[in-house]
């Protein structure tokens, strides 16, 4: 079984563990048609437009 040769200090151990939980916030951009926030390079879920072209027909409830 593997056994550490030297003690790993608390600072070194915690430095290694610190970046694991950090997540980046998802990138969001404004829809050019309706102004709602959407993921870049994706169809807008609010209006169904992508790059000024209607891709999805959404029901107007």
């Amino acid at each position: 079984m593997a056994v550490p040769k030297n003690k790993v200090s608390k600072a070194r151990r915690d430095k290694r563990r610190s970046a694991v939980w950090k997540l980046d916030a998802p990138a969001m951009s404004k829809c050019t048609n309706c102004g709602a926030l959407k993921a870049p390079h994706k169809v807008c879920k609010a209006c169904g437009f992508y790059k000024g072209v209607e891709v999805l027909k959404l029901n107007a409830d």
Side-chain angles (χ1 to χ4, degrees):
M1 187 150 202
V3 178
K5 192 150 194 126
N6 297 317
K7 179 177 178 174
V8 176
S9 70
K10 293 174 203 157
R12 191 175 190 93
R13 177 198 67 200
D14 294 345
K15 239 189 291 187
R16 182 181 65 243
R17 292 179 181 173
S18 68
V20 175
W21 60 272
K22 294 178 185 174
L23 296 174
D24 293 332
M28 300 299 277
S29 61
K30 279 184 130 180
C31 176
T32 55
N33 188 51
C34 67
L37 288 176
K38 67 175 194 68
H41 308 286
K42 304 277 192 259
V43 176
C44 179
K45 291 180 181 178
C47 64
F49 275 70
Y50 179 69
K51 290 189 177 180
V53 178
E54 187 176 12
V55 179
L56 298 174
K57 295 270 187 193
L58 298 177
N59 295 335
D61 290 336

